[in-house]
Every structure is written in structure tokens, then in C-alpha cells.
Amino acid sequence: MSTPTKDRTPARRMDHELDHLSGIVPSPVRPAPRHLSLMVLGGAVLATLLIHTVLDRSLVLSAVIGYLLYVIGVNVAYRLTSGSRVATDHTMRALVYGAFVLAIIPLVSLLWTVVENGGARALSPDYLLQTMNGVTGVHDKAYAEDGAPMVGGAYHAIIGTLIITGIAALISIPIGLFTAIYLVEYGAKNRLSHAIRFMVDVMTGIPSIVAGLFAFALFGVLFGVGTKNGVAGAVALSVLMIPTVVRNSEEMLRIVPNELREASLALGVPKWRTIAKVVLPTAASGLASGITLAIARVIGETAPLLVAVGFTRVLNLNPVDGPMNNLALYAYYMFTRPLNPGYRDPSIERAWAAAVLLVICVIALNLLARLIAKFFAPKTGS
Amino acid sequence: MEKSAMSKRIDINDLNIFYGAFHAVKDVSMAIEPKTVTAFIGPSGCGKSTFLRTLNRMHEVIPGARVEGEVSIDGRNLYGRGVDPVDVRREVGMVFQRPNPFPTMSIKENVLAGVRLNSKRLSTSAADELAERSLRGANLWNEVKDRLDKPGSSLSGGQQQRLCIARAIAVRPQVLLMDEPCSALDPISTLAIEDLINELKSDYTVVIVTHNMQQAARVSDRTGFFNLEATGQPGQLVEFDDTQRIFNNPAQQATEDYISGRFG
């Protein structure tokens, strides 16, 4: 749009005066009817249903056509009522809404499928408190044919997940946090910090199976070939987790205003105390939520644990001795190697339930990150 | 008795300041008397803030910054061997251009920060007394005494700046440096700070950098005019004299041009 065309009369005389006085082009915008976009949306939904039912097309195809009709309809409707600038605005909005819905569909669909298939089993006490020790295909056949109660749960896998992830966090958080402190507070722009940053970026992209093989090889060298235990898994997860912790923490420390460091230093506070008492508390909320998200990132890892930890059906509380289990591996094995090949359903039900527990863990960690961020956030106002 | 020992004389001899290869300030020598207010004026980029920061070694925080020459406080060279910059900063306090209270701390914790962060233990009564004395010293007590536990950032900009002054004087420095303390404040808050500077003079040696020449004329006893010959050249001290003289009868043409607005 360059200049207003002659057929569009400005709504008020004021516009003319403004035009005359300051060179501001009077807007060709006229008010549109209220809820016009909602009306168009309603029409598009109606069209979708019609295509689906009357023309008997698939729901997906109808929805795509309906959405295209909505985008075109919004553009035309606003062009006719309000002018081209408003029409462009609403068309862009329609595209953004579309992208949002498209992005959210897989997520909602995934959550729905997981909860539908495994929700009930995941929350039953039997499942949460039993291991697979001694459970065989015979039990599954009895459950499937005779309606006997299901035996065998994921207790050992839950505990294994918590222990392995916990150790991984204990290894990764100090290393990652101190690296970030070095990068921001000490390494400013020297070569070492450039090198570290580059290595961290590379590590972020390492495939998880490589981390698993690394831990497997490392423990093979240290404790004999074929050593598989919880700590080896935790080391593998740390390799994946440390770069995330470094990157998240670095960003958070960097946004602490330099004025606060100077204020503290100018009071005669040594640098390390300035970092410990001023910089870290100021960044605490961001650090805590970044670390929590890093934990959420590795809690569902499967491949590295398969290599480094192995698999077991019994509860193993000792992370330095023998294989352990975890939820992701548990789901994998239940799905690929059902206890009774003739009756797959009970095993697959267990796999879905493990998936539900993993999703709950990740959601819980994300909520926890938000709570932490809120709790630690610097207080403003009264 | 204790207070009389708090203000000290500062002698600067042939001070040169560098940022890496860049020569920022050249050959400054001056003497700052105890219990006076000394103001530095001059155009932007002439090195007056940089110079101020060398008086408590805060410039070292910037990578690549270094100093040649001597700054002595009561005869002790700040840049002598074995002098810890942390000790220097405890003796020479600083207030910055923008109010910077610690956002994680309450008003009271902010005042006590200098003492607490240095891990000195304070009894509750000593802490209360120190907080009240410092806040009274910064003319802020009456405004905040009922809300000492509220966050420091809940105060107005002018109050925050006085909170920063209270925080600086709570560690009992001998010298107080102020880097354009009023440039982010409205005229009424500025007036409050200027009144405060006049009161602080009875206990402390105050050095202030300001862009506001009227402010320099109002608050200071001595004024130094910094200038640079051209961009890229080091800044230097053009003239240093009694404030009255600088503003009424400067010895240098450049000073007169600057204060009368004929500069550049």
C-alpha cells in the first residue's frame, strides 16, 4: 500500500487534517463487524463437517480443506469490510493459529494414546510395587484367558530410573555449573573458554548411543570387559547432560547484570564470594529450572542404558554391582520380547504403563522447574 | 574520635591508564584533601570515570585494564606490591551511575551486604544499629524504617540510589567515590543526593564525577576538568583548582570554553 486510493473515503475529516499537517497517510481502515473472524471460523468448521459427512471424505482431508477455506475466507471478509492492511493482519493470524494447532496435534495425540493405553495400569499399586522377578508367560496366559490378576510390575525399573538419573545429576550438576561459572566469570574471552564452548556445542550433538558406548568402553577398561552397572549408565547420561547444564547455566549467569558484580566488588567483597553470594542467588531460579530440564532431557534415555547398564527383571539397589533396569528399557523389552509370545497383550500393557510413568516424570520435572523458577525469582515490588 | 580517622588524603602521581593498547588517561597528578568534595567534569569519553575507578582499583574488573603511576591514600600506595584490591575497595567505597541494589535482598540486607558478604558475623542488635545508622547517614531512614524487610527494588530510583549510598557507608570506608550518582534521577531525588553529599563531607572524603556543571558548582570544593585533544587521544587533566576559581576565573581557555558552553 502506497497512497490511499480515491474510492476509499477517510472515515473522518480529522484524517484529512492530519494528512495535510504532518504528511501522515490517512489509514484506509474501516471498522469490521464484531466477531467477523469467529463467523468465518464457524463457516469453515461447518464446511469441514459437510465435506466429511455429505461428500464422505476423510476427516483429515476435510480439516485441511476447511482450514484453507478459513484462511481465504478471513482474507476476503476483512478485505471487503476493513481494507487490505487488516486483511493481511488477519490472514497472518490465521496462518499462525494453523501452525500452532499443527504443532500441538502430535503432542496431544501422543499424550492421549499413552494415557488411554497405559493410564489405568500405571497407577495400580500392584504395578508400582511389584518387580518382574519370577513372572513368566504362564501368569500372562492366566491373566489373558482366565481373568486372573495381572502379576509383575515396574517397581525395579522405577527405582533403577531414579537411582541412575540421580547419580547422573550428582555428576553433571557440579561439573556443568562450575564450567559455566568459569566461562562467564573467569574465562571472559580467552582461548580456553572458546575451546570449551566449542567442545560443549559438539557434545550437545553427540548421539546418545555413542555416550553409552563410551561409558561401556570406559568401564570395560577400568573394571574388566563387559562391566555393566548403574554407575556406568549414570556416566553415559552425564555425557549427555553436562553440555545441557553448561549451556543453560551459562545463559542464566550471563544475564545477571554486571552492575551487581561491580556493586559487590566495590564493597570489598572478594570475587569468589561475589559469585557465591550475589551472582548465583540472583540467577538461582534460572539455574534451577535449567538443571531440572536437563534432568528431564535424560530421564527417558534408552540406548545408552541398554549398552552400559544392561537389563534385569529383579530389583537391584546397588548401582556399582550388576545390571539394573529403568522405565524406558522396561517398555522396550516388554514390547519387543513379550513374556508369552502367544499372549502379547499383558506385556504390551505393561510397556504402555511404563511409558505413562515416563511421561508423568517429564511433566512433573517441567512443572517443578516452573515452581522453582517462581520460588527463587528475585522479588520485585511489595 | 573514630570518625575523625575515617577521611583520608589521596595523592595521585603521574597516573597513566591503559585498556590493552589504548592509552585512556595520561599523566594525571593531583592531591585530594580529606573531608572535601572533589568533582570531575569533562566531556564524555575523556576518562574521568576511568580515572575515578582507578582510585579503588575497580577498573581492574575490566579485562586488559592496567595502570602506571601511583595512587596513595595517606602515604600508602594502592598499587604497591602485596596490596590486595579487595582491601582497597573496603577502604574506598563506590556508588555507581545506576542504582544497583541486590535484587535478592531486602532493604536491610542490602545495607548490611558489605559486612555480611565479607562473612563477618553480626549480632541482631548490632545489625539493627548498623542498618539504622547507615540509613540515617544516607537520609533514607525515615522513608524506609517501616519496611526494612521489603525488597530493595521496591523503592523509587532516588531512594534506591540513597540505599546504595547507605550500603557503601555501612562498611565504613575512608573515601567515597561517586560515578555520576544523579544522572539516572529526577531533579528532586538529585537534590536529596546533593544535600546528602554536603553532609557526608563532614565525615568522608568524597570524589564525584558529574556531567552536570551546576551540580559540580553546587556540591564541590575542588573541581578537576578533564578533556581530550581529539578522539582516540588519551584524556588528561586540564585544570584542577578550587571550584569557585574554575567556574569564575579558570586559568585555561579550554576550561572556560567548556563551562561556558562554547565547547566544540
Side-chain angles (χ1 to χ4, degrees):
Chain A
M1 275 308 297
S2 49
T3 48
T5 45
K6 279 178 184 163
D7 58 330
R8 290 208 177 93
T9 43
R12 285 167 293 163
R13 251 196 57 192
M14 184 70 180
D15 290 343
H16 266 318
E17 285 165 16
L18 273 177
D19 190 20
H20 182 66
L21 287 175
S22 59
I24 294 174
V25 177
S27 163
V29 168
R30 299 178 302 274
R34 290 184 65 198
H35 306 309
L36 181 60
S37 62
L38 277 183
M39 286 188 257
V40 177
L41 182 64
V45 170
L46 203 64
T48 307
L49 293 176
L50 279 178
I51 296 168
H52 181 53
T53 52
V54 178
L55 298 179
D56 201 24
R57 303 287 166 183
S58 78
L59 190 59
V60 176
L61 182 66
S62 324
V64 170
I65 295 174
Y67 173 67
L68 290 177
L69 286 177
Y70 170 62
V71 174
I72 296 166
V74 159
N75 190 314
V76 172
Y78 278 97
R79 193 172 293 275
L80 291 177
T81 52
S82 302
S84 70
R85 202 190 75 214
V86 177
T88 311
D89 176 33
H90 277 271
T91 311
M92 286 303 164
R93 273 193 220 187
L95 291 173
V96 170
Y97 292 154
F100 169 71
V101 171
L102 205 59
I104 211 86
I105 282 174
L107 181 65
V108 172
S109 152
L110 180 145
L111 285 177
W112 177 255
T113 317
V114 169
V115 170
E116 191 185 28
N117 285 304
R121 175 62 49 200
L123 298 177
S124 78
D126 281 353
Y127 183 78
L128 293 172
L129 296 174
Q130 286 179 5
T131 70
M132 293 303 288
N133 195 6
V135 181
T136 64
V138 178
H139 295 99
D140 278 3
K141 189 181 174 199
Y143 168 71
E145 287 198 331
D146 312 332
M150 182 186 262
V151 196
Y155 180 61
H156 58 311
I158 297 167
I159 299 296
T161 300
L162 294 179
I163 290 176
I164 294 171
T165 315
I167 296 173
L170 283 182
I171 299 172
S172 311
I173 293 169
I175 296 178
L177 196 54
F178 280 109
T179 307
I181 290 174
Y182 175 79
L183 288 178
V184 176
E185 304 291 334
Y186 292 92
K189 282 165 190 160
N190 64 21
R191 278 195 190 164
L192 179 59
S193 69
H194 278 300
I196 292 175
R197 224 169 259 134
F198 177 72
M199 298 303 280
V200 165
D201 282 347
V202 172
M203 277 173 76
T204 315
I206 283 184
S208 58
I209 185 72
V210 176
L213 290 169
F214 162 75
F216 180 70
L218 179 71
F219 276 69
V221 170
L222 294 178
F223 305 108
V225 176
T227 305
K228 290 192 175 193
N229 59 35
V231 175
V235 168
L237 292 187
S238 300
V239 172
L240 299 170
M241 195 175 159
I242 288 171
T244 322
V245 175
V246 173
R247 271 312 200 187
N248 289 349
S249 308
E250 194 194 347
E251 291 305 317
M252 290 305 140
L253 293 177
R254 206 173 285 287
I255 59 174
V256 172
N258 222 11
E259 287 127 44
L260 298 181
R261 294 185 183 91
E262 293 202 330
S264 176
L265 292 173
L267 290 169
V269 180
K271 184 163 183 172
W272 70 272
R273 276 189 167 276
T274 299
I275 294 168
K277 303 269 182 157
V278 175
V279 177
L280 291 181
T282 307
S285 74
L287 292 174
S289 60
I291 286 166
T292 316
L293 293 177
I295 295 174
R297 161 83 188 70
V298 298
I299 202 167
E301 278 296 344
T302 320
L305 299 181
L306 182 62
V307 177
V309 187
F311 170 78
T312 174
R313 293 179 161 194
V314 300
L315 182 65
N316 177 9
L317 292 174
N318 186 352
V320 293
D321 183 27
M324 299 175 81
N325 205 337
N326 80 87
L327 283 167
L329 264 189
Y330 177 88
Y332 171 73
Y333 271 103
M334 279 299 155
F335 183 74
T336 53
R337 293 182 210 165
L339 291 183
N340 188 335
Y343 297 91
R344 297 173 61 95
D345 285 354
S347 288
I348 287 177
E349 199 179 327
R350 292 194 193 97
W352 278 116
V356 171
L357 292 180
L358 273 178
V359 170
I360 289 176
C361 279
V362 172
I363 293 177
L365 283 169
N366 275 276
L367 291 177
L368 184 70
R370 283 171 175 248
L371 280 180
I372 289 171
K374 211 169 199 174
F375 181 73
F376 279 116
K379 287 112 195 133
T380 48
S382 46
Chain B
M1 278 308 289
E2 196 185 10
K3 285 205 165 179
S4 65
M6 277 171 69
S7 51
K8 301 265 175 122
R9 175 191 169 85
I10 312 171
D11 290 290
I12 297 113
N13 274 322
D14 287 332
L15 195 73
N16 284 280
I17 309 167
F18 304 86
Y19 289 121
F22 176 63
H23 196 169
V25 178
K26 192 171 109 185
D27 297 335
V28 175
S29 299
M30 66 166 69
I32 296 170
E33 299 294 332
K35 295 194 181 184
T36 57
V37 176
T38 303
F40 297 150
I41 58 172
S44 293
C46 67
K48 52 195 189 308
S49 288
T50 300
F51 176 67
L52 188 78
R53 289 166 69 96
T54 59
L55 300 184
N56 70 343
R57 299 187 63 169
M58 274 303 286
H59 72 292
E60 290 172 16
V61 172
I62 299 160
R66 67 194 164 85
V67 154
E68 286 170 8
E70 197 175 90
V71 178
S72 311
I73 293 190
D74 272 8
R76 194 167 67 101
N77 185 6
L78 298 189
Y79 291 92
R81 275 173 168 236
V83 176
D84 186 352
V86 169
D87 291 334
V88 171
R89 291 172 198 149
R90 281 177 200 167
E91 286 181 21
V92 185
M94 189 159 194
V95 175
F96 295 85
Q97 186 170 354
R98 285 207 299 174
N100 51 3
F102 297 124
T104 52
M105 300 183 193
S106 70
I107 292 171
K108 188 174 156 191
E109 286 167 340
N110 258 289
V111 176
L112 301 174
V115 180
R116 286 254 168 86
L117 292 180
N118 281 315
S119 75
K120 293 200 187 92
R121 294 192 177 279
L122 277 178
S123 67
T124 317
S125 58
D128 288 345
E129 196 200 319
L130 178 60
E132 177 171 349
R133 183 151 39 89
S134 307
L135 284 167
R136 279 190 194 282
N139 281 344
L140 191 60
W141 175 252
N142 287 328
E143 290 158 66
V144 301
K145 63 184 173 194
D146 299 322
R147 45 174 173 152
L148 291 172
D149 294 324
K150 291 273 171 5
S153 45
S154 64
L155 299 174
S156 75
Q159 289 172 326
Q160 285 186 24
Q161 193 61 299
R162 278 180 283 151
L163 177 62
C164 292
I165 294 174
R167 183 175 66 185
I169 62 181
V171 292
R172 301 177 147 264
Q174 294 153 348
V175 179
L176 202 56
L177 309 177
M178 296 186 170
D179 189 357
E180 300 182 35
C182 302
S183 63
L185 303 181
D186 66 278
I188 292 173
S189 304
T190 300
L191 191 65
I193 303 270
E194 287 180 6
D195 288 346
L196 176 58
I197 292 171
N198 264 321
E199 290 171 26
L200 291 172
K201 188 168 79 167
S202 56
D203 293 325
Y204 301 91
T205 305
V206 179
V207 185
I208 175 172
V209 165
T210 177
H211 265 299
N212 181 334
M213 280 180 280
Q214 287 74 31
Q215 182 170 65
R218 282 193 298 263
V219 300
S220 70
D221 305 301
R222 306 264 290 172
T223 297
F225 171 59
F226 282 78
N227 201 358
L228 28 68
E229 282 165 358
T231 25
Q233 296 286 312
Q236 46 194 322
L237 181 63
V238 175
E239 190 169 357
F240 182 56
D241 212 329
D242 289 340
T243 300
Q244 287 288 328
R245 234 182 120 74
I246 289 277
F247 281 95
N248 293 327
N249 191 16
Q252 301 287 331
Q253 186 63 38
T255 315
E256 189 173 341
D257 287 351
Y258 183 72
I259 59 173
S260 58
R262 261 182 282 138
F263 185 85

Short mmCIF file of all heavy atoms in Angstrom, two decimals, chain A residues 281-286 370-380, chain B residues 103-104:
data_model
loop_
_atom_site.label_atom_id
_atom_site.label_comp_id
_atom_site.label_asym_id
_atom_site.label_seq_id
_atom_site.Cartn_x
_atom_site.Cartn_y
_atom_site.Cartn_z
N PRO A 281 22.78 -16.50 43.68
CA PRO A 281 21.40 -16.29 44.15
C PRO A 281 20.55 -15.51 43.15
O PRO A 281 19.37 -15.81 42.99
CB PRO A 281 21.58 -15.49 45.45
CG PRO A 281 22.94 -15.82 45.91
CD PRO A 281 23.76 -16.02 44.68
N THR A 282 21.15 -14.53 42.47
CA THR A 282 20.36 -13.76 41.52
C THR A 282 19.91 -14.63 40.36
O THR A 282 18.81 -14.48 39.84
CB THR A 282 21.18 -12.56 40.99
OG1 THR A 282 21.67 -11.81 42.11
CG2 THR A 282 20.34 -11.65 40.14
N ALA A 283 20.77 -15.57 39.98
CA ALA A 283 20.44 -16.43 38.84
C ALA A 283 19.76 -17.72 39.27
O ALA A 283 19.45 -18.57 38.44
CB ALA A 283 21.70 -16.75 38.04
N ALA A 284 19.52 -17.88 40.60
CA ALA A 284 19.11 -19.18 41.12
C ALA A 284 17.91 -19.79 40.40
O ALA A 284 17.92 -20.97 40.06
CB ALA A 284 18.81 -19.06 42.61
N SER A 285 16.90 -18.96 40.14
CA SER A 285 15.70 -19.54 39.56
C SER A 285 15.98 -20.11 38.18
O SER A 285 15.57 -21.23 37.86
CB SER A 285 14.59 -18.49 39.50
OG SER A 285 14.85 -17.57 38.47
N GLY A 286 16.72 -19.36 37.37
CA GLY A 286 17.03 -19.84 36.03
C GLY A 286 17.92 -21.07 36.06
O GLY A 286 17.74 -22.01 35.29
N ARG A 370 9.19 -24.90 36.78
CA ARG A 370 8.45 -23.64 36.84
C ARG A 370 8.26 -23.18 38.28
O ARG A 370 8.40 -22.00 38.59
CB ARG A 370 7.08 -23.80 36.20
CG ARG A 370 7.19 -23.80 34.71
CD ARG A 370 5.89 -24.17 34.07
NE ARG A 370 6.04 -24.02 32.63
CZ ARG A 370 5.40 -23.11 31.93
NH1 ARG A 370 4.55 -22.30 32.51
NH2 ARG A 370 5.60 -23.01 30.64
N LEU A 371 7.93 -24.15 39.15
CA LEU A 371 7.76 -23.78 40.56
C LEU A 371 9.05 -23.22 41.13
O LEU A 371 9.05 -22.20 41.83
CB LEU A 371 7.33 -25.02 41.36
CG LEU A 371 5.86 -25.39 41.27
CD1 LEU A 371 5.59 -26.63 42.11
CD2 LEU A 371 5.00 -24.22 41.77
N ILE A 372 10.16 -23.91 40.81
CA ILE A 372 11.45 -23.45 41.31
C ILE A 372 11.74 -22.04 40.81
O ILE A 372 12.15 -21.16 41.56
CB ILE A 372 12.57 -24.42 40.87
CG1 ILE A 372 12.45 -25.73 41.62
CG2 ILE A 372 13.94 -23.80 41.12
CD1 ILE A 372 13.37 -26.81 41.10
N ALA A 373 11.48 -21.83 39.51
CA ALA A 373 11.75 -20.51 38.94
C ALA A 373 10.95 -19.45 39.67
O ALA A 373 11.44 -18.37 39.97
CB ALA A 373 11.41 -20.52 37.46
N LYS A 374 9.70 -19.77 39.99
CA LYS A 374 8.85 -18.80 40.67
C LYS A 374 9.33 -18.56 42.10
O LYS A 374 9.38 -17.44 42.57
CB LYS A 374 7.42 -19.35 40.70
CG LYS A 374 6.36 -18.28 40.66
CD LYS A 374 5.02 -18.92 40.42
CE LYS A 374 4.04 -17.90 39.91
NZ LYS A 374 2.78 -18.52 39.54
N PHE A 375 9.73 -19.66 42.75
CA PHE A 375 10.10 -19.59 44.15
C PHE A 375 11.38 -18.79 44.36
O PHE A 375 11.49 -17.98 45.26
CB PHE A 375 10.25 -21.01 44.70
CG PHE A 375 10.62 -21.05 46.15
CD1 PHE A 375 9.67 -20.75 47.12
CD2 PHE A 375 11.90 -21.39 46.55
CE1 PHE A 375 10.01 -20.78 48.45
CE2 PHE A 375 12.24 -21.42 47.89
CZ PHE A 375 11.28 -21.12 48.83
N PHE A 376 12.37 -19.02 43.47
CA PHE A 376 13.66 -18.37 43.63
C PHE A 376 13.74 -17.00 42.98
O PHE A 376 14.71 -16.29 43.18
CB PHE A 376 14.77 -19.24 43.03
CG PHE A 376 15.23 -20.34 43.93
CD1 PHE A 376 15.06 -21.66 43.58
CD2 PHE A 376 15.84 -20.06 45.13
CE1 PHE A 376 15.48 -22.68 44.40
CE2 PHE A 376 16.27 -21.07 45.96
CZ PHE A 376 16.08 -22.38 45.59
N ALA A 377 12.75 -16.66 42.17
CA ALA A 377 12.85 -15.43 41.40
C ALA A 377 13.06 -14.24 42.32
O ALA A 377 12.46 -14.16 43.39
CB ALA A 377 11.59 -15.22 40.58
N PRO A 378 13.97 -13.29 41.93
CA PRO A 378 14.17 -12.09 42.75
C PRO A 378 12.84 -11.38 42.95
O PRO A 378 12.07 -11.22 42.01
CB PRO A 378 15.13 -11.26 41.91
CG PRO A 378 15.81 -12.22 41.02
CD PRO A 378 14.82 -13.30 40.75
N LYS A 379 12.59 -11.00 44.19
CA LYS A 379 11.32 -10.35 44.47
C LYS A 379 11.35 -8.90 44.00
O LYS A 379 12.33 -8.19 44.21
CB LYS A 379 11.02 -10.39 45.98
CG LYS A 379 10.64 -11.76 46.47
CD LYS A 379 11.69 -12.36 47.38
CE LYS A 379 11.45 -13.85 47.55
NZ LYS A 379 12.68 -14.62 47.37
N THR A 380 10.28 -8.49 43.37
CA THR A 380 10.17 -7.09 42.99
C THR A 380 8.89 -6.54 43.59
O THR A 380 7.94 -7.28 43.81
CB THR A 380 10.12 -6.92 41.46
OG1 THR A 380 9.15 -7.85 40.96
CG2 THR A 380 11.47 -7.21 40.84
N PRO B 103 19.01 -7.59 44.01
CA PRO B 103 17.59 -7.89 43.86
C PRO B 103 17.12 -9.03 44.77
O PRO B 103 15.93 -9.15 45.02
CB PRO B 103 17.46 -8.29 42.38
CG PRO B 103 18.82 -8.70 41.97
CD PRO B 103 19.77 -7.91 42.81
N THR B 104 18.04 -9.85 45.24
CA THR B 104 17.61 -10.96 46.08
C THR B 104 17.53 -10.58 47.55
O THR B 104 17.17 -11.40 48.37
CB THR B 104 18.59 -12.14 45.95
OG1 THR B 104 19.91 -11.65 46.18
CG2 THR B 104 18.53 -12.76 44.58
#
